Amino acid sequence: MVKKSNLSMLLYGLAMALTSSCTVDTGFFDGQPCGPDDVCASGYTCMHEPCGQGYLCAVCRKADDMLDAGTDGGDGTSDAGDATSDGMDDSACQQPAPACKTLPDCQDTPAECKDGQWICDTGYESPERSCDFVDNDCDGETDVGLVCILAGNGQSGLRDGQGDSARFSSPHGLLALPEGSFLVADTGNHCIRKATPDGMVTTIAGDGQSGKVDGVGTDARFKGPTGLTLSSDGLVIIADRGNHCIRSLDAQATVSTIAGSGFAGYADGPAPEARFAFPSSVAIDSQGHILVADSGNHCIRLIDSDQVTTFAGKCGFPGLDDGELLQARFNSPTNLLVLDDGRIFVSEESSQRIRMISADGKVSTYAGSGQYGYQDGALLDAKFANPAGLALGPDQLIWLADRSNNRIRTISDSEVSTVMGSGAAGMGDGPPDMVELNGPSSLAFMSDGRLVIADTNNNIIRTWTP
Protein backbone atom coordinates (compact mmCIF):
# COMPACT_ATOMS: atom_id res chain seq x y z
CA MET A 1 0.00 0.00 0.00
CA VAL A 2 1.35 3.39 -0.99
CA LYS A 3 -0.14 6.48 0.59
CA LYS A 4 -0.41 9.56 -1.63
CA SER A 5 -1.25 13.19 -0.92
CA ASN A 6 -3.79 15.11 -2.99
CA LEU A 7 -0.88 16.97 -4.53
CA SER A 8 0.72 13.77 -5.79
CA MET A 9 -2.55 12.88 -7.54
CA LEU A 10 -2.61 16.34 -9.12
CA LEU A 11 0.99 16.04 -10.28
CA TYR A 12 0.28 12.60 -11.67
CA GLY A 13 -2.57 14.00 -13.75
CA LEU A 14 -0.36 16.82 -14.94
CA ALA A 15 2.34 14.32 -15.85
CA MET A 16 -0.05 12.29 -17.97
CA ALA A 17 -1.31 15.44 -19.70
CA LEU A 18 2.18 16.60 -20.54
CA THR A 19 3.39 13.25 -21.78
CA SER A 20 0.46 13.07 -24.17
CA SER A 21 1.41 16.39 -25.79
CA CYS A 22 4.46 17.85 -27.47
CA THR A 23 5.98 19.30 -24.31
CA VAL A 24 9.70 19.65 -23.75
CA ASP A 25 10.80 17.89 -20.58
CA THR A 26 12.62 20.40 -18.38
CA GLY A 27 13.06 18.03 -15.45
CA PHE A 28 10.00 19.35 -13.60
CA PHE A 29 8.91 15.90 -12.42
CA ASP A 30 12.28 14.89 -10.99
CA GLY A 31 11.76 14.40 -7.26
CA GLN A 32 7.98 14.79 -7.39
CA PRO A 33 5.73 12.19 -5.69
CA CYS A 34 4.86 9.08 -7.70
CA GLY A 35 1.33 8.62 -8.96
CA PRO A 36 -1.00 5.69 -8.22
CA ASP A 37 0.69 2.29 -8.46
CA ASP A 38 4.11 3.97 -8.61
CA VAL A 39 3.43 5.48 -12.05
CA CYS A 40 5.53 8.45 -13.23
CA ALA A 41 5.69 10.52 -16.41
CA SER A 42 7.39 9.02 -19.46
CA GLY A 43 11.14 8.98 -18.95
CA TYR A 44 10.82 8.78 -15.17
CA THR A 45 10.76 5.83 -12.80
CA CYS A 46 9.31 5.63 -9.31
CA MET A 47 12.06 5.17 -6.70
CA HIS A 48 11.74 4.48 -2.99
CA GLU A 49 14.30 6.74 -1.36
CA PRO A 50 15.17 7.55 2.23
CA CYS A 51 13.53 10.73 3.51
CA GLY A 52 12.88 12.19 6.91
CA GLN A 53 14.59 10.11 9.56
CA GLY A 54 15.01 6.68 8.02
CA TYR A 55 11.69 6.68 6.22
CA LEU A 56 11.15 5.85 2.55
CA CYS A 57 9.37 8.18 0.13
CA ALA A 58 8.10 7.28 -3.34
CA VAL A 59 9.46 9.87 -5.81
CA CYS A 60 9.95 10.04 -9.58
CA ARG A 61 13.51 10.06 -10.97
CA LYS A 62 14.72 10.48 -14.54
CA ALA A 63 15.46 7.07 -16.03
CA ASP A 64 18.58 8.17 -17.92
CA ASP A 65 20.11 9.62 -14.74
CA MET A 66 19.59 6.31 -12.94
CA LEU A 67 21.15 4.32 -15.77
CA ASP A 68 24.17 6.60 -15.79
CA ALA A 69 24.58 6.04 -12.06
CA GLY A 70 24.07 2.28 -12.32
CA THR A 71 21.15 2.36 -9.91
CA ASP A 72 18.04 0.31 -9.71
CA GLY A 73 15.19 1.93 -11.62
CA GLY A 74 12.52 0.25 -9.56
CA ASP A 75 12.19 -2.87 -11.72
CA GLY A 76 14.84 -4.88 -9.86
CA THR A 77 17.62 -4.32 -12.41
CA SER A 78 20.46 -1.91 -13.02
CA ASP A 79 23.31 -1.53 -15.47
CA ALA A 80 25.59 -2.96 -12.76
CA GLY A 81 23.75 -6.29 -12.76
CA ASP A 82 20.47 -7.88 -11.85
CA ALA A 83 19.41 -7.00 -8.32
CA THR A 84 16.57 -9.30 -7.41
CA SER A 85 15.65 -11.20 -4.32
CA ASP A 86 15.77 -14.60 -6.10
CA GLY A 87 19.35 -15.25 -4.96
CA MET A 88 21.02 -14.05 -8.18
CA ASP A 89 22.13 -10.62 -6.95
CA ASP A 90 20.92 -8.65 -3.97
CA SER A 91 23.69 -6.04 -4.08
CA ALA A 92 21.19 -3.17 -4.04
CA CYS A 93 20.12 -4.26 -0.56
CA GLN A 94 23.60 -4.53 0.95
CA GLN A 95 23.31 -1.09 2.55
CA PRO A 96 21.75 -0.97 6.01
CA ALA A 97 17.99 -1.14 5.89
CA PRO A 98 16.08 2.08 6.64
CA ALA A 99 14.01 2.12 9.80
CA CYS A 100 10.56 2.00 8.26
CA LYS A 101 7.82 3.80 10.15
CA THR A 102 4.13 3.31 10.57
CA LEU A 103 1.85 6.30 10.13
CA PRO A 104 0.67 8.35 11.84
CA ASP A 105 2.38 7.16 15.03
CA CYS A 106 5.87 6.84 13.42
CA GLN A 107 6.65 3.53 15.15
CA ASP A 108 9.58 1.44 13.89
CA THR A 109 8.77 -1.49 11.62
CA PRO A 110 11.23 -3.74 9.73
CA ALA A 111 12.08 -3.18 6.07
CA GLU A 112 12.15 -6.08 3.60
CA CYS A 113 14.41 -6.52 0.57
CA LYS A 114 12.30 -7.15 -2.54
CA ASP A 115 13.47 -7.02 -6.13
CA GLY A 116 16.68 -5.27 -5.25
CA GLN A 117 15.36 -2.47 -3.08
CA TRP A 118 14.21 -1.97 0.47
CA ILE A 119 10.45 -2.12 0.93
CA CYS A 120 8.37 -0.77 3.79
CA ASP A 121 5.32 -2.97 4.01
CA THR A 122 3.53 -0.26 5.99
CA GLY A 123 3.41 1.89 2.86
CA TYR A 124 5.14 4.98 1.55
CA GLU A 125 4.30 8.58 2.06
CA SER A 126 5.33 11.64 0.10
CA PRO A 127 7.38 14.27 1.91
CA GLU A 128 5.38 16.94 3.76
CA ARG A 129 3.15 18.49 1.11
CA SER A 130 -0.24 18.96 2.76
CA CYS A 131 -1.32 20.50 6.06
CA ASP A 132 -2.84 17.46 7.71
CA PHE A 133 -1.31 17.82 11.20
CA VAL A 134 0.52 14.51 10.67
CA ASP A 135 4.29 13.97 10.69
CA ASN A 136 4.23 12.38 7.23
CA ASP A 137 7.98 11.79 6.92
CA CYS A 138 8.58 10.94 10.59
CA ASP A 139 11.21 13.63 11.08
CA GLY A 140 9.67 14.86 14.33
CA GLU A 141 8.03 17.92 12.74
CA THR A 142 4.46 18.49 11.54
CA ASP A 143 3.64 20.57 8.45
CA VAL A 144 6.85 22.58 8.88
CA GLY A 145 7.67 24.69 5.84
CA LEU A 146 4.16 24.46 4.40
CA VAL A 147 1.67 27.24 3.84
CA CYS A 148 -1.43 26.17 5.77
CA ILE A 149 -4.95 27.45 6.36
CA LEU A 150 -5.16 28.64 9.95
CA ALA A 151 -8.79 29.77 10.00
CA GLY A 152 -11.75 29.75 7.63
CA ASN A 153 -12.73 27.20 4.99
CA GLY A 154 -13.34 29.34 1.90
CA GLN A 155 -17.02 29.98 2.52
CA SER A 156 -18.06 33.57 3.12
CA GLY A 157 -19.89 34.15 6.37
CA LEU A 158 -19.68 35.38 9.94
CA ARG A 159 -19.03 32.60 12.41
CA ASP A 160 -16.71 32.29 15.37
CA GLY A 161 -14.95 29.00 16.02
CA GLN A 162 -11.82 26.93 15.72
CA GLY A 163 -9.92 26.66 12.44
CA ASP A 164 -12.11 25.70 9.50
CA SER A 165 -15.26 26.17 11.58
CA ALA A 166 -14.75 29.94 11.47
CA ARG A 167 -16.06 32.09 8.60
CA PHE A 168 -14.80 35.40 7.19
CA SER A 169 -15.96 37.71 4.43
CA SER A 170 -13.15 39.39 2.47
CA PRO A 171 -10.72 39.78 5.38
CA HIS A 172 -8.21 42.59 4.85
CA GLY A 173 -6.09 44.25 7.54
CA LEU A 174 -4.10 42.18 10.04
CA LEU A 175 -2.51 43.32 13.29
CA ALA A 176 -0.21 41.08 15.36
CA LEU A 177 -0.61 41.66 19.09
CA PRO A 178 2.25 41.45 21.63
CA GLU A 179 0.56 38.61 23.54
CA GLY A 180 0.68 36.31 20.50
CA SER A 181 -2.77 36.57 18.92
CA PHE A 182 -3.75 38.84 16.04
CA LEU A 183 -6.68 40.96 14.88
CA VAL A 184 -8.46 40.80 11.54
CA ALA A 185 -10.35 43.63 9.87
CA ASP A 186 -13.16 41.46 8.49
CA THR A 187 -14.20 43.91 5.81
CA GLY A 188 -17.23 42.18 4.33
CA ASN A 189 -18.61 41.41 7.78
CA HIS A 190 -18.08 44.99 9.02
CA CYS A 191 -16.40 43.84 12.22
CA ILE A 192 -13.11 43.23 14.00
CA ARG A 193 -12.16 39.64 14.79
CA LYS A 194 -9.46 38.13 17.00
CA ALA A 195 -7.59 34.89 16.27
CA THR A 196 -5.30 32.92 18.56
CA PRO A 197 -2.10 31.25 17.30
CA ASP A 198 -3.97 27.93 17.01
CA GLY A 199 -6.81 29.43 14.97
CA MET A 200 -9.59 30.10 17.48
CA VAL A 201 -11.60 33.04 16.09
CA THR A 202 -13.88 35.37 18.07
CA THR A 203 -15.67 38.60 17.20
CA ILE A 204 -14.67 41.47 19.48
CA ALA A 205 -16.37 44.48 17.85
CA GLY A 206 -19.18 44.91 15.34
CA ASP A 207 -22.30 42.82 14.80
CA GLY A 208 -21.99 42.06 11.10
CA GLN A 209 -24.25 44.92 10.05
CA SER A 210 -22.99 47.98 8.17
CA GLY A 211 -23.29 51.25 10.07
CA LYS A 212 -21.50 53.92 12.09
CA VAL A 213 -22.19 53.38 15.77
CA ASP A 214 -19.79 53.86 18.67
CA GLY A 215 -20.22 51.48 21.58
CA VAL A 216 -18.92 48.37 23.29
CA GLY A 217 -18.23 45.11 21.44
CA THR A 218 -21.05 43.96 19.21
CA ASP A 219 -23.06 47.12 19.94
CA ALA A 220 -20.63 49.04 17.72
CA ARG A 221 -20.90 49.13 13.93
CA PHE A 222 -18.41 49.65 11.11
CA LYS A 223 -18.65 49.91 7.34
CA GLY A 224 -15.97 47.94 5.56
CA PRO A 225 -12.99 48.38 7.94
CA THR A 226 -9.66 47.66 6.22
CA GLY A 227 -6.61 48.93 8.13
CA LEU A 228 -5.37 48.26 11.68
CA THR A 229 -2.48 49.51 13.77
CA LEU A 230 -1.56 49.74 17.47
CA SER A 231 -0.92 53.09 19.14
CA SER A 232 1.74 53.68 21.76
CA ASP A 233 -0.94 53.77 24.49
CA GLY A 234 -2.40 50.40 23.48
CA LEU A 235 -5.38 51.53 21.41
CA VAL A 236 -6.18 49.67 18.22
CA ILE A 237 -6.59 52.27 15.45
CA ILE A 238 -8.97 51.32 12.63
CA ALA A 239 -9.37 52.72 9.13
CA ASP A 240 -13.15 52.53 8.75
CA ARG A 241 -13.03 52.87 4.99
CA GLY A 242 -16.73 52.92 4.14
CA ASN A 243 -17.51 55.42 6.90
CA HIS A 244 -14.66 57.76 5.82
CA CYS A 245 -13.37 58.00 9.37
CA ILE A 246 -10.82 56.70 11.84
CA ARG A 247 -11.99 54.69 14.85
CA SER A 248 -10.31 53.32 17.98
CA LEU A 249 -10.81 50.13 19.99
CA ASP A 250 -9.65 49.87 23.60
CA ALA A 251 -8.94 46.89 25.86
CA GLN A 252 -12.58 46.81 27.02
CA ALA A 253 -13.73 46.58 23.35
CA THR A 254 -15.08 50.13 23.41
CA VAL A 255 -15.22 51.63 19.92
CA SER A 256 -14.88 55.40 19.49
CA THR A 257 -14.58 57.73 16.51
CA ILE A 258 -11.39 59.77 16.77
CA ALA A 259 -11.38 61.60 13.43
CA GLY A 260 -13.70 62.13 10.50
CA SER A 261 -17.21 63.49 10.13
CA GLY A 262 -18.42 60.37 8.35
CA PHE A 263 -18.90 62.21 5.06
CA ALA A 264 -16.56 61.67 2.12
CA GLY A 265 -14.48 64.66 1.15
CA TYR A 266 -11.29 66.52 1.90
CA ALA A 267 -10.99 68.86 4.87
CA ASP A 268 -8.25 69.41 7.43
CA GLY A 269 -9.02 70.83 10.86
CA PRO A 270 -10.50 69.66 14.15
CA ALA A 271 -10.72 65.87 14.16
CA PRO A 272 -14.55 65.60 14.39
CA GLU A 273 -14.97 67.95 11.41
CA ALA A 274 -12.21 66.61 9.17
CA ARG A 275 -13.09 64.69 6.06
CA PHE A 276 -11.49 61.65 4.48
CA ALA A 277 -12.32 59.67 1.34
CA PHE A 278 -12.08 55.90 1.71
CA PRO A 279 -9.12 55.75 4.13
CA SER A 280 -7.57 52.30 3.71
CA SER A 281 -4.61 52.07 6.09
CA VAL A 282 -3.27 53.54 9.31
CA ALA A 283 0.18 53.56 10.93
CA ILE A 284 1.95 55.22 13.85
CA ASP A 285 4.97 57.43 13.14
CA SER A 286 8.04 57.89 15.34
CA GLN A 287 6.35 60.74 17.28
CA GLY A 288 3.23 58.70 17.99
CA HIS A 289 1.07 60.49 15.41
CA ILE A 290 -1.49 58.55 13.39
CA LEU A 291 -0.79 58.45 9.66
CA VAL A 292 -3.68 57.71 7.30
CA ALA A 293 -3.51 56.45 3.71
CA ASP A 294 -6.38 58.58 2.42
CA SER A 295 -6.87 56.55 -0.75
CA GLY A 296 -9.75 58.47 -2.29
CA ASN A 297 -7.98 61.79 -1.75
CA HIS A 298 -4.63 60.45 -3.05
CA CYS A 299 -2.63 61.74 -0.11
CA ILE A 300 -1.31 60.92 3.37
CA ARG A 301 -2.99 62.59 6.34
CA LEU A 302 -1.79 63.01 9.93
CA ILE A 303 -3.78 63.02 13.17
CA ASP A 304 -2.14 64.78 16.12
CA SER A 305 -4.29 65.02 19.21
CA ASP A 306 -7.56 66.51 17.95
CA GLN A 307 -6.26 67.99 14.68
CA VAL A 308 -6.05 66.52 11.18
CA THR A 309 -3.50 67.86 8.68
CA THR A 310 -2.16 66.85 5.29
CA PHE A 311 1.21 65.16 5.71
CA ALA A 312 2.20 64.32 2.12
CA GLY A 313 0.77 64.63 -1.35
CA LYS A 314 -1.59 67.04 -3.11
CA CYS A 315 -4.96 65.87 -1.88
CA GLY A 316 -7.45 65.51 -4.69
CA PHE A 317 -4.78 65.46 -7.41
CA PRO A 318 -3.55 61.93 -8.20
CA GLY A 319 -0.16 61.57 -9.83
CA LEU A 320 3.32 60.10 -9.69
CA ASP A 321 5.45 63.15 -8.90
CA ASP A 322 8.30 62.62 -6.45
CA GLY A 323 9.71 65.48 -4.38
CA GLU A 324 9.02 67.44 -1.23
CA LEU A 325 6.18 66.23 1.00
CA LEU A 326 3.44 68.58 -0.15
CA GLN A 327 4.66 68.80 -3.76
CA ALA A 328 4.64 65.05 -4.37
CA ARG A 329 1.63 63.21 -5.72
CA PHE A 330 0.24 59.79 -4.92
CA ASN A 331 -2.20 57.56 -6.76
CA SER A 332 -4.58 55.75 -4.41
CA PRO A 333 -2.16 55.06 -1.54
CA THR A 334 -3.15 51.68 -0.16
CA ASN A 335 -0.99 50.57 2.75
CA LEU A 336 1.54 52.17 5.10
CA LEU A 337 4.63 50.80 6.83
CA VAL A 338 6.74 52.90 9.23
CA LEU A 339 10.29 51.74 10.01
CA ASP A 340 12.33 52.55 13.11
CA ASP A 341 14.72 54.69 11.06
CA GLY A 342 11.87 57.07 10.23
CA ARG A 343 11.23 55.96 6.66
CA ILE A 344 7.63 55.45 5.59
CA PHE A 345 6.71 53.04 2.78
CA VAL A 346 3.51 53.42 0.82
CA SER A 347 2.03 50.82 -1.53
CA GLU A 348 -0.03 52.13 -4.43
CA GLU A 349 -2.38 49.64 -6.02
CA SER A 350 -3.29 51.97 -8.86
CA SER A 351 0.26 52.91 -9.91
CA GLN A 352 1.87 49.46 -9.34
CA ARG A 353 4.61 51.12 -7.27
CA ILE A 354 6.05 51.26 -3.78
CA ARG A 355 6.82 54.82 -2.70
CA MET A 356 9.08 55.91 0.14
CA ILE A 357 8.98 59.00 2.35
CA SER A 358 12.44 59.61 3.81
CA ALA A 359 13.05 60.76 7.36
CA ASP A 360 13.91 64.22 6.02
CA GLY A 361 10.65 64.56 4.11
CA LYS A 362 11.39 63.53 0.52
CA VAL A 363 9.04 61.33 -1.49
CA SER A 364 10.59 58.94 -4.02
CA THR A 365 9.66 55.83 -5.98
CA TYR A 366 11.34 52.92 -4.21
CA ALA A 367 10.25 49.90 -6.26
CA GLY A 368 8.19 49.15 -9.34
CA SER A 369 8.44 50.17 -12.97
CA GLY A 370 4.82 51.30 -13.00
CA GLN A 371 3.84 48.57 -15.46
CA TYR A 372 1.17 46.10 -14.39
CA GLY A 373 2.65 42.61 -14.44
CA TYR A 374 4.94 40.18 -12.68
CA GLN A 375 8.72 40.46 -12.66
CA ASP A 376 11.36 40.04 -9.99
CA GLY A 377 14.69 41.83 -10.15
CA ALA A 378 16.18 45.27 -9.60
CA LEU A 379 13.91 47.60 -7.63
CA LEU A 380 12.81 49.89 -10.44
CA ASP A 381 12.60 47.08 -13.01
CA ALA A 382 10.22 44.96 -10.92
CA LYS A 383 6.56 44.67 -11.83
CA PHE A 384 3.59 44.39 -9.49
CA ALA A 385 -0.13 43.81 -9.93
CA ASN A 386 -2.06 45.82 -7.34
CA PRO A 387 0.52 45.79 -4.53
CA ALA A 388 -1.28 45.95 -1.18
CA GLY A 389 -0.23 44.95 2.37
CA LEU A 390 3.24 45.72 3.74
CA ALA A 391 5.07 44.28 6.76
CA LEU A 392 8.60 44.27 8.10
CA GLY A 393 9.92 40.72 8.36
CA PRO A 394 12.31 39.27 10.95
CA ASP A 395 14.89 39.30 8.15
CA GLN A 396 14.50 43.12 8.04
CA LEU A 397 13.12 42.90 4.51
CA ILE A 398 9.87 44.52 3.46
CA TRP A 399 7.23 41.87 2.77
CA LEU A 400 4.47 42.66 0.29
CA ALA A 401 1.10 41.10 -0.52
CA ASP A 402 1.05 41.41 -4.32
CA ARG A 403 -2.68 41.02 -4.60
CA SER A 404 -3.47 40.36 -8.26
CA ASN A 405 -0.29 38.34 -8.80
CA ASN A 406 -1.47 36.01 -6.00
CA ARG A 407 2.02 36.12 -4.55
CA ILE A 408 3.99 37.29 -1.52
CA ARG A 409 7.12 39.25 -2.44
CA THR A 410 10.06 40.66 -0.48
CA ILE A 411 11.80 43.96 -1.13
CA SER A 412 15.42 44.49 -0.10
CA ASP A 413 17.54 47.59 -0.65
CA SER A 414 18.38 46.36 -4.16
CA GLU A 415 15.83 43.88 -5.50
CA VAL A 416 12.35 42.37 -5.44
CA SER A 417 11.95 38.60 -4.95
CA THR A 418 9.06 36.17 -4.77
CA VAL A 419 8.85 34.01 -1.65
CA MET A 420 5.36 32.53 -1.94
CA GLY A 421 2.74 31.73 -4.54
CA SER A 422 2.64 29.97 -7.88
CA GLY A 423 0.69 32.87 -9.39
CA ALA A 424 -2.40 30.76 -9.98
CA ALA A 425 -5.52 31.60 -8.02
CA GLY A 426 -6.52 28.77 -5.69
CA MET A 427 -6.83 27.61 -2.10
CA GLY A 428 -4.72 24.48 -1.65
CA ASP A 429 -2.04 24.06 1.01
CA GLY A 430 1.52 23.23 0.08
CA PRO A 431 5.13 24.35 -0.18
CA PRO A 432 5.50 28.14 -0.58
CA ASP A 433 6.61 28.01 -4.22
CA MET A 434 3.66 25.80 -5.22
CA VAL A 435 0.83 27.10 -3.02
CA GLU A 436 -2.07 28.94 -4.64
CA LEU A 437 -3.36 32.19 -3.14
CA ASN A 438 -6.33 34.29 -4.23
CA GLY A 439 -6.02 38.03 -3.82
CA PRO A 440 -3.86 38.29 -0.66
CA SER A 441 -4.28 41.79 0.74
CA SER A 442 -2.50 41.94 4.09
CA LEU A 443 0.19 40.20 6.12
CA ALA A 444 1.71 40.33 9.59
CA PHE A 445 4.33 38.50 11.61
CA MET A 446 3.18 37.00 14.90
CA SER A 447 5.36 37.03 17.99
CA ASP A 448 6.31 33.37 17.39
CA GLY A 449 7.80 34.30 13.98
CA ARG A 450 4.99 32.88 11.85
CA LEU A 451 3.66 34.88 8.94
CA VAL A 452 -0.12 35.27 8.72
CA ILE A 453 -1.80 36.27 5.47
CA ALA A 454 -5.27 37.60 4.76
CA ASP A 455 -6.13 35.54 1.69
CA THR A 456 -8.98 37.87 0.87
CA ASN A 457 -10.79 36.29 -2.06
CA ASN A 458 -10.59 32.87 -0.39
CA ASN A 459 -12.11 34.21 2.87
CA ILE A 460 -9.36 32.52 4.88
CA ILE A 461 -6.30 33.28 7.00
CA ARG A 462 -3.08 31.47 6.04
CA THR A 463 0.02 30.83 8.12
CA TRP A 464 3.61 29.96 7.26
CA THR A 465 6.87 29.67 9.15
CA PRO A 466 9.59 31.17 6.90
Side-chain angles (χ1 to χ4, degrees), residues 59-72:
V59 296
C60 295
R61 294 297 182 194
K62 295 196 72 168
D64 52 355
D65 290 345
M66 293 185 298
L67 289 174
D68 292 341
T71 57
D72 170 31

Side-chain angles (χ1 to χ4, degrees), residues 312-401:
K314 293 183 177 181
C315 294
F317 298 93
L320 303 172
D321 297 344
D322 291 333
E324 300 292 334
L325 284 177
L326 297 179
Q327 298 303 311
R329 294 188 183 188
F330 296 89
N331 191 351
S332 299
T334 305
N335 200 263
L336 300 173
L337 173 65
V338 178
L339 301 189
D340 290 341
D341 61 10
R343 290 183 296 166
I344 302 167
F345 288 86
V346 184
S347 63
E348 290 183 323
E349 284 200 78
S350 294
S351 74
Q352 321 307 329
R353 289 176 168 92
I354 307 299
R355 312 288 290 281
M356 183 187 76
I357 304 174
S358 65
D360 60 355
K362 302 291 193 305
V363 178
S364 61
T365 299
Y366 190 78
S369 67
Q371 295 181 348
Y372 182 96
Y374 170 65
Q375 180 175 313
D376 285 338
L379 291 175
L380 296 180
D381 294 333
K383 294 180 182 179
F384 305 105
N386 305 126
L390 298 168
L392 182 66
D395 52 8
Q396 298 305 302
L397 298 178
I398 296 170
W399 288 59
L400 167 71

Side-chain angles (χ1 to χ4, degrees), residues 83-341:
T84 66
S85 59
D86 58 8
M88 295 178 64
D89 185 358
D90 285 334
S91 59
C93 292
Q94 294 306 307
Q95 296 297 320
C100 297
K101 305 285 186 178
T102 59
L103 290 174
D105 55 357
C106 290
Q107 297 298 307
D108 289 337
T109 186
E112 183 178 355
C113 184
K114 291 183 179 179
D115 297 328
Q117 57 180 323
W118 289 111
I119 299 296
C120 288
D121 286 337
T122 50
Y124 303 97
E125 178 67 25
S126 301
E128 298 281 0
R129 292 184 184 277
S130 62
C131 301
D132 54 7
F133 306 103
V134 174
D135 180 11
N136 289 312
D137 52 9
C138 295
D139 62 356
E141 298 178 329
T142 300
D143 301 338
V144 171
L146 300 181
V147 181
C148 301
I149 298 173
L150 179 66
N153 74 344
Q155 297 180 13
S156 178
L158 176 57
R159 181 194 296 173
D160 291 341
Q162 179 73 45
D164 61 5
S165 297
R167 300 287 186 274
F168 299 92
S169 179
S170 298
H172 277 73
L174 298 175
L175 173 64
L177 299 176
E179 39 85 0
S181 61
F182 62 94
L183 299 182
V184 182
D186 195 357
T187 305
N189 281 322
H190 314 291
C191 59
I192 307 300
R193 318 285 292 280
K194 183 176 183 179
T196 61
D198 63 353
M200 175 58 74
V201 178
T202 54
T203 301
I204 60 173
D207 65 353
Q209 300 297 313
S210 173
K212 183 178 181 294
V213 179
D214 289 340
V216 179
T218 55
D219 291 335
R221 286 188 174 179
F222 303 90
K223 187 177 182 180
T226 52
L228 303 170
T229 194
L230 191 65
S231 71
S232 56
D233 56 0
L235 289 176
V236 176
I237 309 300
I238 304 163
D240 194 357
R241 181 180 173 90
N243 279 322
H244 314 291
C245 63
I246 307 303
R247 318 283 290 277
S248 68
L249 174 69
D250 68 14
Q252 287 72 46
T254 300
V255 176
S256 306
T257 301
I258 59 176
S261 66
F263 297 99
Y266 168 64
D268 286 337
E273 301 171 11
R275 291 194 176 189
F276 302 90
F278 303 102
S280 62
S281 178
V282 283
I284 306 299
D285 72 6
S286 56
Q287 285 77 46
H289 304 140
I290 300 171
L291 296 174
V292 180
D294 195 358
S295 297
N297 282 320
H298 309 287
C299 57
I300 310 300
R301 313 287 289 282
L302 184 146
I303 304 173
D304 180 10
S305 185
D306 60 351
Q307 292 290 316
V308 176
T309 58
T310 299
F311 176 72
K314 293 183 177 181
C315 294
F317 298 93
L320 303 172
D321 297 344
D322 291 333
E324 300 292 334
L325 284 177
L326 297 179
Q327 298 303 311
R329 294 188 183 188
F330 296 89
N331 191 351
S332 299
T334 305
N335 200 263
L336 300 173
L337 173 65
V338 178
L339 301 189
D340 290 341
D341 61 10

Side-chain angles (χ1 to χ4, degrees), residues 388 401-403 406-408 437-442 453-457:
D402 194 359
R403 189 200 301 252
N406 301 310
R407 290 178 167 101
I408 306 299
L437 308 173
N438 194 352
S441 65
S442 183
I453 304 163
D455 197 355
T456 302
N457 295 345

